[in-house]
Amino acid sequence: MDLQSLTLLVEILDAGNLSAAARRLKMSRANVSYHLNQLERSVGAQLVRRTTRRAEPTEIGLRLYQHGVAIQTELLAARESVTTLGQSLQGRVRLSVPSGYGQLVMADWLIDFKRQYPGIVLDVVFENRIEDLLRDEVDIAIRVVPEPPQNLVARDLGPVRYVACASTDYAQKNPLPVQLDELQGAPVVTAAVIGRQLRVSAYQGETRREVILEPTLISENFLFLRQAILAGLGIGLVPDYVVQEDVRKGDVVTTLDDWRLSIFGTQMFMLYMPNRQHTRAIRTFIDFILERVRAPD
């Protein structure tokens, strides 16, 4: 077994199937399949279970994958040590952040990080989906989830508080809901999972309730949702950081303030894979963000 064989195994499992791995490696699928068969023959065991859609590791395949990832990361760190000797910190951080939190909260942090570490390439994707996070080609993901996946390292970035809100103009012309059930008859502007009912969890002390809503406007882009709320299209259900400046200026008012609302979860987490020996650039970025989160306002 050699490093090239381990690299092939890592690429197959990271990509999720042989065809995607072949595209990454710029090889034919048949060639990838042939080399995988040769590796399995040399090991004397099946390493990958193939289906029409997925490639999943067997127990021994997962162990070899973890060794392969560790070796790749150590080689990358070794190259990094040589190339950055006597120079400023360099490297690449591939980051996935939620659209609203990323643009309204993290944007200034990311810009400050880039100013402080100009040699580090920041590759930032703004997206909200969390499905199949392990297959995404990112080093770190920031996500709101009820419970972080057990197979990932989760660093708590703090609570997320949703608010029910509306523009001042809307509130002057329409009654705002004062009871939780009144949300069901209101034009709601919010984010939701396409194809699923919108279930909003509400907490008041020890009391927990759940309401099912049919929004009048749905989007994953929280900046667009903020525009829709300011335009008076309905009652917004968004994280407080989306409209906090508008509330401060008096352009938006909140309601149902005695309820703690949640759609996707109540905590923000920084997620990354546990079996990766992170480069200095990634470790520096993680420490930088955690320091910003803990800093007083």
Side-chain angles (χ1 to χ4, degrees):
M1 185 190 311
D2 55 21
L3 180 58
Q4 187 175 358
S5 298
L6 280 178
T7 299
L8 177 81
L9 179 63
V10 169
E11 289 293 341
I12 290 171
L13 294 177
D14 276 348
N17 58 63
L18 270 63
S19 297
R23 288 193 295 271
R24 288 187 183 186
L25 295 167
K26 296 180 171 53
M27 298 168 60
S28 69
R29 187 186 184 285
N31 203 6
V32 170
S33 179
Y34 169 78
H35 284 290
L36 176 59
N37 288 333
Q38 291 295 105
L39 175 59
E40 289 179 326
R41 188 171 300 157
S42 68
V43 173
Q46 182 182 13
L47 303 177
V48 178
R49 299 187 193 93
R50 291 84 138 177
T51 68
T52 55
R53 293 187 176 182
R54 307 293 296 173
E56 300 291 343
T58 61
E59 183 178 354
I60 188 171
L62 180 59
R63 290 184 182 180
L64 284 178
Y65 167 83
Q66 292 169 340
H67 284 299
V69 168
I71 292 171
Q72 284 185 333
T73 306
E74 288 297 330
L75 285 173
L76 181 60
R79 293 192 196 102
E80 184 182 73
S81 297
V82 172
T83 57
T84 61
L85 190 62
Q87 302 176 11
S88 61
L89 185 59
Q90 296 182 11
R92 177 182 291 269
V93 178
R94 297 168 297 177
L95 176 69
S96 173
V97 299
S99 62
Y101 189 77
Q103 291 170 300
L104 295 168
V105 178
M106 291 191 68
D108 288 341
W109 301 351
L110 299 178
I111 290 170
D112 287 346
F113 178 85
K114 186 62 184 166
R115 285 178 178 148
Q116 188 170 339
Y117 301 100
I120 295 179
V121 176
L122 275 183
D123 186 350
V124 186
V125 178
F126 291 85
E127 62 180 0
N128 300 317
R129 301 181 186 277
I130 62 172
E131 291 86 353
D132 212 13
L133 185 60
L134 285 173
R135 302 295 181 187
D136 291 344
E137 294 183 356
V138 297
D139 300 305
I140 300 167
I142 310 296
R143 290 292 184 270
V144 179
V145 289
E147 292 290 337
Q150 293 184 351
N151 55 349
L152 297 176
V153 176
R155 309 294 295 272
D156 192 347
L157 300 185
V160 175
R161 177 175 176 263
Y162 273 74
V163 293
C165 61
S167 69
T168 304
D169 183 62
Y170 179 94
Q172 290 172 348
K173 298 176 181 177
N174 304 274
L176 297 181
V178 294
Q179 299 294 330
L180 194 62
D181 291 339
E182 293 175 7
L183 277 175
Q184 294 177 309
V188 172
V189 175
T190 190
V193 178
I194 295 174
R196 299 185 194 172
Q197 288 182 315
L198 174 60
R199 296 179 179 270
V200 178
S201 299
Y203 306 85
Q204 191 179 65
E206 298 298 320
T207 302
R208 180 188 183 278
R209 291 192 50 198
E210 189 174 271
V211 291
I212 299 176
L213 305 180
E214 295 184 5
T216 186
L217 191 153
I218 299 171
S219 176
E220 292 185 348
N221 189 312
F222 283 93
L223 292 181
F224 172 65
L225 293 178
R226 173 178 172 269
Q227 283 185 277
I229 294 166
L230 289 171
L233 296 185
I235 306 297
L237 285 180
V238 293
D240 57 359
Y241 55 76
V242 174
V243 292
Q244 62 183 2
E245 184 63 20
D246 303 304
V247 171
R248 188 188 66 79
K249 293 190 299 185
D251 296 331
V252 169
V253 295
T254 62
T255 186
L256 300 174
D257 293 332
D258 52 342
W259 287 93
R260 185 164 53 94
L261 305 175
S262 171
I263 296 178
F264 298 110
T266 58
Q267 294 292 125
M268 184 79 68
F269 293 97
M270 178 190 298
L271 306 172
Y272 50 87
M273 294 181 66
N275 57 344
R276 294 270 170 97
Q277 299 294 321
H278 291 132
T279 63
R280 287 178 59 210
I282 295 173
R283 293 196 303 270
T284 300
F285 180 84
I286 291 172
D287 292 341
F288 181 91
I289 294 301
L290 291 176
E291 184 178 343
R292 283 304 178 95
V293 168
R294 294 165 184 155
D297 294 334

